[in-house]
Short mmCIF file of all heavy atoms in Angstrom, two decimals:
data_model
loop_
_atom_site.label_atom_id
_atom_site.label_comp_id
_atom_site.label_asym_id
_atom_site.label_seq_id
_atom_site.Cartn_x
_atom_site.Cartn_y
_atom_site.Cartn_z
N MET X 23 118.65 87.38 114.10
CA MET X 23 119.18 86.67 113.02
C MET X 23 118.00 86.46 112.09
O MET X 23 116.91 86.05 112.38
CB MET X 23 119.89 85.45 113.39
CG MET X 23 120.61 84.66 112.33
SD MET X 23 121.37 83.30 112.88
CE MET X 23 119.96 82.12 112.95
N PHE X 24 118.22 86.64 110.69
CA PHE X 24 117.28 86.35 109.73
C PHE X 24 118.07 85.94 108.38
O PHE X 24 119.19 86.04 108.24
CB PHE X 24 116.40 87.57 109.40
CG PHE X 24 117.22 88.82 109.08
CD1 PHE X 24 117.27 89.21 107.74
CD2 PHE X 24 117.68 89.69 110.05
CE1 PHE X 24 118.01 90.28 107.30
CE2 PHE X 24 118.38 90.77 109.59
CZ PHE X 24 118.58 91.09 108.25
N ALA X 25 117.20 85.50 107.39
CA ALA X 25 117.83 85.14 106.15
C ALA X 25 117.17 86.07 105.08
O ALA X 25 116.10 86.32 105.07
CB ALA X 25 117.53 83.74 105.84
N ASN X 26 118.11 86.45 104.16
CA ASN X 26 117.61 87.34 103.12
C ASN X 26 118.49 87.19 101.78
O ASN X 26 119.63 86.78 101.98
CB ASN X 26 117.73 88.82 103.58
CG ASN X 26 116.77 89.67 102.79
OD1 ASN X 26 115.72 89.30 102.36
ND2 ASN X 26 117.25 91.00 102.48
N VAL X 27 117.85 87.36 100.64
CA VAL X 27 118.61 87.25 99.44
C VAL X 27 119.24 88.59 99.10
O VAL X 27 118.53 89.68 99.04
CB VAL X 27 117.64 86.89 98.22
CG1 VAL X 27 118.41 86.84 96.98
CG2 VAL X 27 117.03 85.52 98.53
N CYS X 28 120.59 88.55 98.82
CA CYS X 28 121.28 89.80 98.62
C CYS X 28 121.00 90.24 97.12
O CYS X 28 121.06 89.43 96.22
CB CYS X 28 122.85 89.54 98.78
SG CYS X 28 123.93 90.87 98.28
N THR X 29 120.77 91.53 96.94
CA THR X 29 120.50 92.07 95.63
C THR X 29 121.84 92.22 94.81
O THR X 29 121.76 92.39 93.58
CB THR X 29 119.75 93.32 95.62
OG1 THR X 29 120.67 94.30 96.32
CG2 THR X 29 118.45 93.31 96.29
N SER X 30 123.01 92.10 95.48
CA SER X 30 124.26 92.29 94.79
C SER X 30 124.83 90.90 94.32
O SER X 30 125.10 90.72 93.13
CB SER X 30 125.29 92.97 95.69
OG SER X 30 126.39 93.22 95.02
N CYS X 31 124.98 90.00 95.28
CA CYS X 31 125.55 88.69 94.92
C CYS X 31 124.58 87.58 94.67
O CYS X 31 124.82 86.51 94.17
CB CYS X 31 126.52 88.23 96.07
SG CYS X 31 125.77 87.90 97.69
N GLY X 32 123.25 87.84 95.03
CA GLY X 32 122.22 86.96 94.70
C GLY X 32 122.15 85.76 95.74
O GLY X 32 121.34 84.83 95.46
N LYS X 33 122.95 85.74 96.65
CA LYS X 33 122.95 84.60 97.62
C LYS X 33 121.90 84.78 98.74
O LYS X 33 121.78 85.97 99.17
CB LYS X 33 124.32 84.45 98.26
CG LYS X 33 125.33 83.99 97.38
CD LYS X 33 126.65 83.72 98.11
CE LYS X 33 127.83 83.43 97.25
NZ LYS X 33 129.06 83.48 98.00
N ARG X 34 121.36 83.64 99.16
CA ARG X 34 120.51 83.76 100.43
C ARG X 34 121.40 83.48 101.55
O ARG X 34 121.96 82.40 101.73
CB ARG X 34 119.38 82.71 100.22
CG ARG X 34 118.36 82.91 101.36
CD ARG X 34 117.15 81.92 101.20
NE ARG X 34 116.26 82.02 102.23
CZ ARG X 34 115.36 82.91 102.33
NH1 ARG X 34 115.21 83.82 101.37
NH2 ARG X 34 114.45 82.90 103.38
N GLU X 35 121.55 84.53 102.35
CA GLU X 35 122.44 84.42 103.47
C GLU X 35 121.84 84.61 104.83
O GLU X 35 120.84 85.47 104.88
CB GLU X 35 123.51 85.54 103.29
CG GLU X 35 124.36 85.42 102.04
CD GLU X 35 125.68 84.71 102.33
OE1 GLU X 35 125.90 84.20 103.38
OE2 GLU X 35 126.54 84.62 101.31
N LEU X 36 122.36 83.97 105.77
CA LEU X 36 121.92 84.34 107.21
C LEU X 36 122.52 85.60 107.63
O LEU X 36 123.78 85.80 107.38
CB LEU X 36 122.28 83.29 108.10
CG LEU X 36 121.40 81.97 108.01
CD1 LEU X 36 121.99 80.89 109.06
CD2 LEU X 36 120.02 82.26 108.47
N VAL X 37 121.77 86.59 108.12
CA VAL X 37 122.31 87.79 108.61
C VAL X 37 122.29 87.87 110.10
O VAL X 37 121.29 87.53 110.74
CB VAL X 37 121.42 89.05 108.02
CG1 VAL X 37 122.12 90.34 108.50
CG2 VAL X 37 121.44 88.93 106.43
N PHE X 38 123.46 88.09 110.73
CA PHE X 38 123.62 88.09 112.08
C PHE X 38 123.63 89.60 112.59
O PHE X 38 123.78 90.52 111.94
CB PHE X 38 124.90 87.43 112.50
CG PHE X 38 124.95 85.94 112.24
CD1 PHE X 38 125.34 85.55 110.96
CD2 PHE X 38 124.36 85.09 113.11
CE1 PHE X 38 125.40 84.20 110.62
CE2 PHE X 38 124.38 83.74 112.73
CZ PHE X 38 124.92 83.25 111.53
N SER X 39 123.32 89.72 113.86
CA SER X 39 123.07 91.02 114.46
C SER X 39 124.32 91.93 114.29
O SER X 39 124.12 93.13 114.15
CB SER X 39 122.69 90.96 115.98
OG SER X 39 123.65 90.18 116.60
N ASP X 40 125.51 91.34 114.23
CA ASP X 40 126.70 92.16 114.03
C ASP X 40 126.83 92.81 112.63
O ASP X 40 127.77 93.61 112.33
CB ASP X 40 128.07 91.53 114.55
CG ASP X 40 128.30 90.27 113.75
OD1 ASP X 40 127.52 89.84 112.99
OD2 ASP X 40 129.41 89.73 113.89
N GLN X 41 126.09 92.36 111.70
CA GLN X 41 126.08 92.82 110.45
C GLN X 41 125.10 94.03 110.22
O GLN X 41 125.11 94.63 109.23
CB GLN X 41 125.70 91.68 109.32
CG GLN X 41 126.80 90.64 109.19
CD GLN X 41 126.27 89.56 108.39
OE1 GLN X 41 125.92 88.47 108.86
NE2 GLN X 41 126.14 89.77 107.04
N ILE X 42 124.17 94.11 111.17
CA ILE X 42 123.14 95.14 111.16
C ILE X 42 123.76 96.58 111.44
O ILE X 42 124.50 96.72 112.35
CB ILE X 42 121.94 94.84 112.03
CG1 ILE X 42 121.26 93.54 111.61
CG2 ILE X 42 120.97 96.05 112.04
CD1 ILE X 42 120.26 92.99 112.53
N ARG X 43 123.45 97.53 110.46
CA ARG X 43 124.07 98.84 110.65
C ARG X 43 123.11 99.83 111.08
O ARG X 43 123.47 100.87 111.77
CB ARG X 43 124.62 99.23 109.26
CG ARG X 43 125.71 98.42 108.67
CD ARG X 43 127.05 98.61 109.47
NE ARG X 43 128.07 97.67 109.01
CZ ARG X 43 128.30 96.54 109.68
NH1 ARG X 43 127.68 96.27 110.82
NH2 ARG X 43 129.23 95.69 109.35
N ASN X 44 121.75 99.55 110.85
CA ASN X 44 120.79 100.64 111.09
C ASN X 44 119.45 100.02 111.14
O ASN X 44 119.16 99.07 110.39
CB ASN X 44 120.85 101.68 109.96
CG ASN X 44 120.07 102.85 110.23
OD1 ASN X 44 118.90 102.87 109.86
ND2 ASN X 44 120.63 103.91 110.87
N LEU X 45 118.53 100.52 111.93
CA LEU X 45 117.16 100.15 112.03
C LEU X 45 116.26 101.45 111.87
O LEU X 45 116.55 102.40 112.57
CB LEU X 45 116.74 99.47 113.36
CG LEU X 45 117.10 97.99 113.62
CD1 LEU X 45 116.68 97.72 115.02
CD2 LEU X 45 116.29 97.19 112.67
N ARG X 46 115.40 101.40 110.94
CA ARG X 46 114.61 102.62 110.71
C ARG X 46 113.09 102.25 110.68
O ARG X 46 112.70 101.44 109.99
CB ARG X 46 114.95 103.27 109.46
CG ARG X 46 114.36 104.72 109.25
CD ARG X 46 115.03 105.43 108.06
NE ARG X 46 114.69 104.64 106.80
CZ ARG X 46 113.69 105.00 106.07
NH1 ARG X 46 112.89 106.01 106.28
NH2 ARG X 46 113.49 104.34 104.96
N GLN X 47 112.33 102.89 111.53
CA GLN X 47 110.89 102.61 111.59
C GLN X 47 110.21 103.20 110.44
O GLN X 47 110.53 104.44 110.06
CB GLN X 47 110.31 103.15 112.89
CG GLN X 47 108.92 102.59 113.10
CD GLN X 47 108.57 102.61 114.67
OE1 GLN X 47 109.27 103.06 115.50
NE2 GLN X 47 107.54 101.99 115.00
N THR X 48 109.30 102.60 109.79
CA THR X 48 108.52 103.13 108.79
C THR X 48 107.00 102.97 109.13
O THR X 48 106.63 102.46 110.22
CB THR X 48 108.71 102.28 107.43
OG1 THR X 48 108.11 101.02 107.52
CG2 THR X 48 110.18 102.21 107.08
N ALA X 49 106.13 103.44 108.18
CA ALA X 49 104.68 103.47 108.55
C ALA X 49 104.06 102.04 108.75
O ALA X 49 103.19 101.89 109.49
CB ALA X 49 103.94 104.13 107.40
N THR X 50 104.75 101.05 108.04
CA THR X 50 104.22 99.64 108.11
C THR X 50 105.10 98.67 108.79
O THR X 50 104.73 97.55 108.90
CB THR X 50 104.05 99.11 106.59
OG1 THR X 50 105.22 99.22 105.97
CG2 THR X 50 102.99 99.97 105.95
N GLY X 51 106.22 99.20 109.25
CA GLY X 51 107.07 98.27 110.05
C GLY X 51 108.47 98.95 110.16
O GLY X 51 108.47 100.02 110.74
N PHE X 52 109.42 98.28 109.71
CA PHE X 52 110.79 98.85 109.86
C PHE X 52 111.74 98.37 108.82
O PHE X 52 111.58 97.23 108.30
CB PHE X 52 111.42 98.83 111.22
CG PHE X 52 111.51 97.39 111.80
CD1 PHE X 52 112.68 96.66 111.75
CD2 PHE X 52 110.43 96.85 112.44
CE1 PHE X 52 112.85 95.41 112.22
CE2 PHE X 52 110.61 95.56 113.01
CZ PHE X 52 111.73 94.89 112.91
N ASP X 53 112.78 99.15 108.45
CA ASP X 53 113.75 98.80 107.52
C ASP X 53 115.03 98.49 108.30
O ASP X 53 115.51 99.19 109.11
CB ASP X 53 114.08 99.92 106.55
CG ASP X 53 113.01 100.12 105.56
OD1 ASP X 53 112.23 99.24 105.27
OD2 ASP X 53 112.89 101.26 105.03
N VAL X 54 115.60 97.29 108.03
CA VAL X 54 116.93 96.93 108.57
C VAL X 54 117.99 97.10 107.55
O VAL X 54 117.94 96.35 106.55
CB VAL X 54 116.87 95.44 109.07
CG1 VAL X 54 118.15 95.00 109.72
CG2 VAL X 54 115.60 95.20 110.00
N ARG X 55 118.88 97.95 107.75
CA ARG X 55 120.04 98.08 106.84
C ARG X 55 121.22 97.22 107.39
O ARG X 55 121.58 97.32 108.59
CB ARG X 55 120.44 99.53 106.91
CG ARG X 55 119.43 100.32 106.13
CD ARG X 55 119.96 101.83 105.98
NE ARG X 55 118.83 102.54 105.39
CZ ARG X 55 118.59 102.66 104.01
NH1 ARG X 55 119.50 102.04 103.19
NH2 ARG X 55 117.64 103.29 103.51
N TYR X 56 121.75 96.42 106.60
CA TYR X 56 122.79 95.55 106.96
C TYR X 56 123.83 95.41 105.85
O TYR X 56 123.57 95.73 104.69
CB TYR X 56 122.29 94.14 107.35
CG TYR X 56 121.65 93.27 106.28
CD1 TYR X 56 122.46 92.35 105.64
CD2 TYR X 56 120.43 93.59 105.83
CE1 TYR X 56 121.89 91.70 104.53
CE2 TYR X 56 119.77 92.87 104.82
CZ TYR X 56 120.55 91.86 104.13
OH TYR X 56 120.10 91.13 103.09
N GLU X 57 124.92 94.76 106.23
CA GLU X 57 126.00 94.58 105.20
C GLU X 57 126.07 93.09 104.95
O GLU X 57 126.30 92.24 105.90
CB GLU X 57 127.34 95.09 105.84
CG GLU X 57 128.41 95.11 104.69
CD GLU X 57 129.72 95.77 105.27
OE1 GLU X 57 129.65 96.89 105.73
OE2 GLU X 57 130.70 95.08 105.29
N CYS X 58 125.86 92.66 103.77
CA CYS X 58 126.03 91.31 103.24
C CYS X 58 127.57 90.86 103.47
O CYS X 58 128.47 91.71 103.51
CB CYS X 58 125.66 91.19 101.85
SG CYS X 58 125.80 89.48 101.17
N THR X 59 127.68 89.51 103.41
CA THR X 59 129.07 89.00 103.61
C THR X 59 129.88 89.40 102.39
O THR X 59 131.12 89.32 102.46
CB THR X 59 128.97 87.42 103.73
OG1 THR X 59 128.21 86.87 102.66
CG2 THR X 59 128.49 87.08 105.04
N CYS X 60 129.23 89.77 101.18
CA CYS X 60 130.04 90.14 99.99
C CYS X 60 130.40 91.64 100.14
O CYS X 60 131.13 92.18 99.34
CB CYS X 60 129.17 89.99 98.76
SG CYS X 60 127.81 91.11 98.55
N GLY X 61 129.91 92.31 101.21
CA GLY X 61 130.23 93.69 101.36
C GLY X 61 129.17 94.68 100.91
O GLY X 61 129.34 95.91 101.11
N ALA X 62 128.16 94.24 100.22
CA ALA X 62 127.08 95.12 99.71
C ALA X 62 126.18 95.62 100.82
O ALA X 62 125.79 94.76 101.72
CB ALA X 62 126.31 94.43 98.61
N SER X 63 125.86 96.69 100.74
CA SER X 63 124.82 97.38 101.68
C SER X 63 123.40 96.93 101.28
O SER X 63 122.95 97.07 100.11
CB SER X 63 124.90 98.83 101.75
OG SER X 63 124.06 99.45 102.71
N GLN X 64 122.65 96.37 102.13
CA GLN X 64 121.33 95.83 101.86
C GLN X 64 120.23 96.41 102.78
O GLN X 64 120.63 96.84 103.93
CB GLN X 64 121.36 94.27 101.91
CG GLN X 64 122.29 93.55 101.01
CD GLN X 64 121.82 93.69 99.60
OE1 GLN X 64 120.70 93.27 99.35
NE2 GLN X 64 122.53 94.31 98.77
N VAL X 65 118.96 96.34 102.37
CA VAL X 65 117.88 96.77 103.24
C VAL X 65 116.81 95.63 103.26
O VAL X 65 116.47 95.09 102.18
CB VAL X 65 117.30 98.00 102.72
CG1 VAL X 65 116.03 98.39 103.62
CG2 VAL X 65 118.22 99.17 102.59
N TRP X 66 116.52 95.26 104.47
CA TRP X 66 115.45 94.25 104.62
C TRP X 66 114.24 94.90 105.28
O TRP X 66 114.39 95.52 106.33
CB TRP X 66 115.98 93.12 105.44
CG TRP X 66 115.08 92.02 105.74
CD1 TRP X 66 114.34 91.25 104.85
CD2 TRP X 66 114.66 91.45 107.03
NE1 TRP X 66 113.60 90.28 105.57
CE2 TRP X 66 113.73 90.39 106.90
CE3 TRP X 66 115.08 91.79 108.33
CZ2 TRP X 66 113.34 89.71 107.99
CZ3 TRP X 66 114.60 91.06 109.43
CH2 TRP X 66 113.63 90.01 109.18
N HIS X 67 113.05 94.91 104.49
CA HIS X 67 111.88 95.55 105.09
C HIS X 67 111.07 94.51 105.88
O HIS X 67 110.86 93.42 105.33
CB HIS X 67 110.96 96.13 103.99
CG HIS X 67 109.94 96.92 104.54
ND1 HIS X 67 110.03 98.00 105.20
CD2 HIS X 67 108.61 96.57 104.50
CE1 HIS X 67 108.86 98.48 105.70
NE2 HIS X 67 107.91 97.56 105.22
N VAL X 68 110.74 94.89 107.01
CA VAL X 68 109.94 93.94 107.84
C VAL X 68 108.56 94.64 108.10
O VAL X 68 108.47 95.68 108.61
CB VAL X 68 110.61 93.83 109.22
CG1 VAL X 68 109.81 92.82 110.19
CG2 VAL X 68 112.10 93.32 109.12
N GLU X 69 107.55 93.87 107.82
CA GLU X 69 106.16 94.44 107.98
C GLU X 69 105.73 94.05 109.39
O GLU X 69 106.01 92.92 109.92
CB GLU X 69 105.18 93.68 107.02
CG GLU X 69 105.36 93.90 105.56
CD GLU X 69 104.87 95.27 105.19
OE1 GLU X 69 103.75 95.62 105.65
OE2 GLU X 69 105.43 95.98 104.36
N ARG X 70 105.28 95.14 109.97
CA ARG X 70 104.81 94.86 111.40
C ARG X 70 103.47 94.20 111.35
O ARG X 70 102.56 94.43 110.51
CB ARG X 70 104.49 96.28 112.01
CG ARG X 70 104.45 96.21 113.52
CD ARG X 70 104.55 97.69 114.08
NE ARG X 70 104.03 98.63 113.18
CZ ARG X 70 104.13 99.98 113.29
NH1 ARG X 70 104.78 100.38 114.33
NH2 ARG X 70 103.47 100.74 112.57
N ALA X 71 103.25 93.13 112.14
CA ALA X 71 102.04 92.30 112.20
C ALA X 71 100.78 93.21 112.42
O ALA X 71 100.74 93.94 113.41
CB ALA X 71 102.19 91.19 113.28
N GLY X 72 99.89 93.02 111.54
CA GLY X 72 98.63 93.77 111.72
C GLY X 72 98.61 95.22 111.53
O GLY X 72 97.73 96.09 111.79
N ALA X 73 99.70 95.69 110.77
CA ALA X 73 99.86 97.10 110.54
C ALA X 73 99.63 97.54 109.09
O ALA X 73 100.12 98.58 108.66
CB ALA X 73 101.24 97.56 111.00
N SER X 74 99.04 96.69 108.44
CA SER X 74 98.79 97.04 106.96
C SER X 74 97.32 96.83 106.50
O SER X 74 96.92 95.98 105.75
CB SER X 74 99.64 96.09 106.01
OG SER X 74 99.44 94.74 106.38
N PRO X 75 96.48 97.76 107.05
CA PRO X 75 95.04 97.72 106.81
C PRO X 75 94.78 98.06 105.31
O PRO X 75 93.78 97.69 104.84
CB PRO X 75 94.47 98.71 107.81
CG PRO X 75 95.59 99.67 108.00
CD PRO X 75 96.80 98.82 108.10
N VAL X 76 95.63 98.64 104.67
CA VAL X 76 95.44 99.10 103.28
C VAL X 76 95.38 97.92 102.37
O VAL X 76 94.61 97.89 101.42
CB VAL X 76 96.61 100.07 102.88
CG1 VAL X 76 96.42 100.42 101.38
CG2 VAL X 76 96.55 101.33 103.65
N SER X 77 96.18 96.86 102.69
CA SER X 77 96.23 95.73 101.82
C SER X 77 95.16 94.66 102.11
O SER X 77 95.10 93.67 101.42
CB SER X 77 97.59 94.99 101.93
OG SER X 77 97.84 94.57 103.24
N VAL X 78 94.31 94.98 103.20
CA VAL X 78 93.25 94.00 103.47
C VAL X 78 92.08 94.13 102.53
O VAL X 78 91.51 95.15 102.44
CB VAL X 78 92.82 94.21 104.97
CG1 VAL X 78 91.61 93.31 105.28
CG2 VAL X 78 93.89 93.88 105.90
N ALA X 79 91.81 93.11 101.81
CA ALA X 79 90.62 93.13 100.87
C ALA X 79 89.92 91.77 101.00
O ALA X 79 90.43 90.77 100.69
CB ALA X 79 91.07 93.26 99.37
N ALA X 80 88.64 91.85 101.47
CA ALA X 80 87.90 90.64 101.79
C ALA X 80 87.22 90.05 100.48
O ALA X 80 86.98 90.71 99.58
CB ALA X 80 86.87 90.95 102.82
ZN1 ZN S 130 125.88 89.86 98.87
#
């Protein structure tokens, strides 16, 4: 379960596992595709911890 702002209805909603349609691994983490309670298809990108050396600038 996670919370995300829908790009369609603009609401911050809790997303439950039964709303998740697809998980896709990317270079930096994974994309979670889910359906908002308004019916819009949404994507939530999750960064994998420690997997973004490109953005590290001391
Ligand atoms: Zn929505």
